Amino acid sequence: MNADGAVWLQSLARRFPELLAELAPSTGGLRERRGGGPVRGTTAPIRLHISDAVRDITDGVVELEEAVRERLGLRPAPPAPVPARLRRIAQLLDRVRQFPDLAEHLTDETRRMARRCARELGDPEQMIRLDGRCPACDSVSLRIFPERGAVLCVNPVCRHVVETAVETALEGAS
C-alpha cells in the first residue's frame, strides 16, 4: 500500500469527529412547550445530509474493518465507535501492505469516506501537512492536496510543485 491509504485513514480519523459535532443540535435558548412551560432544546432542524453522511461513513468503516480482518485471517473485532475502528485498521496497515488488492481497496474506501466528510463540512479541498522541507525554498511548507493528487509548497513566495498524479502517471507510462 502506498502512503495514500495511511494519509486518507488519518484524514478520516481527524475529520469524522468534526462531522459528528455538526450533527449535534445546538443548545440555544428556551422554547415553549404546548400546554405551557419552558423546554430546553433546539428549534434547529435536523440536517439530514449530515446524518446521511455519518451513517454512510460509519457503515463504510465497519464494513472496511470487517473486510480487512477477514482477509488477514483475524477474528472479528468487538463493536466500537468509528474513531476506535479507524485506529484498529491503522494498526493493521503493515499487514495490509502484503495484499496489494486489499491495500488498494482500503485506499479507495478511505479516500471516498474522507472526501464525503470534507464535502459535508464545506471544505473545498483538504490539505495535509508533510514532514520535510521544500526542495526549492527549504521551508517546512509541503502539503498534500489529495483530491488533486499533488504535493506542493504552500509558501507564498515559492509555490513549488513537488509531484502531481499526472507526472507520476506519465513516469509510469515511460
Side-chain angles (χ1 to χ4, degrees), residues 122-143:
D123 292 348
E125 183 176 12
Q126 226 171 337
M127 88 177 139
I128 299 163
R129 184 179 185 281
L130 282 177
D131 292 333
R133 295 185 169 276
C134 173
C137 70
D138 202 39
S139 74
V140 289
S141 302
L142 290 180
R143 303 293 186 269

Side-chain angles (χ1 to χ4, degrees), residues 44-109:
I46 294 174
R47 296 186 306 164
L48 293 177
H49 64 99
I50 299 291
S51 177
D52 289 344
V54 167
R55 188 195 69 237
D56 174 49
I57 292 168
T58 299
D59 292 348
V61 169
V62 168
E63 291 171 8
L64 182 62
E65 183 184 31
E66 289 172 354
V68 166
R69 293 184 73 81
E70 181 179 321
R71 182 67 183 276
L72 296 177
L74 300 172
R75 293 185 327 227
V82 168
R85 287 180 182 272
L86 292 171
R87 280 191 299 277
R88 291 191 307 216
I89 294 169
Q91 292 170 348
L92 298 171
L93 288 178
D94 287 337
R95 293 186 61 191
V96 169
R97 287 186 180 99
Q98 298 169 10
F99 301 92
D101 59 331
L102 180 61
E104 183 178 347
H105 176 68
L106 186 138
T107 299
D108 291 345
E109 284 300 300

Side-chain angles (χ1 to χ4, degrees), residues 20-40:
L20 286 176
E22 287 293 316
L23 183 63
S26 66
T27 56
L30 297 174
R31 59 187 173 137
E32 293 276 327
R33 179 183 332 176
R34 248 174 70 146
V39 174
R40 211 162 264 293

